[in-house]
Amino acid sequence: MKAALEVQDVTVRFGGVTALDRLTLRHDRGGIVGLIGANGAGKTTLINVLSGTIRPERGRALLDGRELTTLPPHRIARAGLARTFQNLQLFGSLSVLDNVLVVDRDAAPLLDEVGLSDDLEKKPGELAYGRQRRLELARALALRPRVILLDEPLAGLAGSESDELLELFGRVRDRGVTVLLVEHDVPSVLRISDRVLVLDQGALLADGTPGEITADPAVHEAYLGQR
Ligand code: ATP
């Protein structure tokens, strides 16, 4: 079977900084894959390579065996890979409903699923921040993705909002969508992920279940121990 996501020997450099260093990884299908690592480890760069906003100088990325690294971002989205952004990218002048309708006509059930059915006519700016995050998730789901990349979705959220959002991610996984979760809130990542990848200086430092990652001395030395 072809892997849902595959990264083969990917290198990205910004001037003298190597953000990804011949990175190779593969995820067969399904579940929540947590991606953690210190500031500058290359997490966002990896998401940008997968979603087509950065082209690697070496290597390639594949979705269900189809090469992504030659496609523009909108074609990648249509091919089944959706993403959210560290800084929300909602249409401020459109209603909540229209923000999702621009992607898919069947917007109302999706908004209901993320708990926004009472907010359809509001503008995104009228929603609490946690609800704006839900709207972004609904818009990504409107692409009917097979893989969804979440870039620091819990940043700036209160504990209760964060728990509710994590529960939603669990439901997305249960629909069979593969979730790649990049997040600084390590306890939350360890709690919800089926598999955890640890990046360090653009390379894979560790790869395992949350239990294996927590027990890995190399992870403690390079990352967890410093927190
Ligand atoms: P953070 O947790 O702080 O978001 P990260 O793991 O997402 O970090 P990246 O943002 O991918 O890390 O950055 C990896 C490295 O590449 C860092 O050294 C960063 O300074 C550098 N970098 C990323 N984007 C650029 C850019 N557009 N121009 C120059 N350097 C960049």
Side-chain angles (χ1 to χ4, degrees):
M1 190 170 71
K2 294 190 178 95
L5 264 188
E6 207 167 349
V7 171
Q8 296 174 343
D9 202 23
V10 163
T11 293
V12 173
R13 267 191 265 269
F14 298 103
V17 176
T18 304
L20 294 178
D21 191 6
R22 303 196 64 172
L23 180 69
T24 293
L25 54 93
R26 172 190 167 101
H27 184 70
D28 281 340
R29 197 158 307 276
I32 296 181
V33 183
L35 179 62
I36 59 177
N39 289 329
K43 305 180 296 292
T44 296
T45 302
L46 176 58
I47 282 203
N48 288 337
V49 166
L50 293 169
S51 57
T53 55
I54 289 180
R55 291 222 184 276
E57 73 171 49
R58 171 190 184 109
R60 56 188 201 149
L62 301 104
L63 174 76
D64 293 319
R66 177 174 181 193
E67 182 160 0
L68 299 174
T69 13
T70 53
L71 299 177
H74 67 279
R75 295 268 310 278
I76 291 177
R78 292 288 168 198
L81 185 141
R83 71 169 291 180
T84 64
F85 292 86
Q86 225 166 314
N87 305 314
L88 287 167
Q89 300 204 357
L90 298 167
F91 299 117
S93 61
L94 297 183
S95 69
V96 165
L97 181 64
D98 286 343
N99 261 275
V100 183
L101 273 177
V102 294
V103 183
D104 188 295
R105 296 178 62 82
D106 212 15
L110 277 173
L111 285 161
D112 188 32
E113 201 175 325
V114 301
L116 292 180
S117 48
D118 291 337
D119 300 314
L120 300 184
E121 300 311 321
K122 292 184 184 147
K123 297 279 164 31
E126 297 173 63
L127 302 181
Y129 188 63
R131 298 179 86 76
Q132 294 184 33
R133 285 267 169 217
R134 288 159 179 267
L135 173 54
E136 210 198 16
L137 180 66
R139 202 175 53 181
L141 290 174
L143 285 162
R144 314 285 158 189
R146 294 190 300 287
V147 175
I148 186 165
L149 313 180
L150 306 173
D151 195 0
E152 296 196 22
L154 306 180
L157 294 186
S160 58
E161 288 176 320
S162 169
D163 286 346
E164 286 169 16
L165 209 55
L166 284 170
E167 198 186 308
L168 262 179
F169 300 158
R171 271 190 258 151
V172 171
R173 163 192 44 203
D174 295 344
R175 286 160 56 139
V177 178
T178 302
V179 179
L180 183 69
L181 172 65
V182 173
E183 183 49 59
H184 276 282
D185 176 352
V186 174
S188 290
V189 172
L190 293 173
R191 182 153 51 103
I192 196 176
S193 299
D194 302 287
R195 176 183 182 188
V196 178
L197 306 172
V198 186
L199 271 189
D200 183 44
Q201 298 181 30
L204 203 57
L205 175 72
D207 174 359
T209 63
E212 287 165 349
I213 294 301
T214 310
D216 188 332
V219 176
H220 277 270
E221 192 175 326
Y223 178 47
L224 291 177
Q226 302 167 359
R227 295 175 66 81

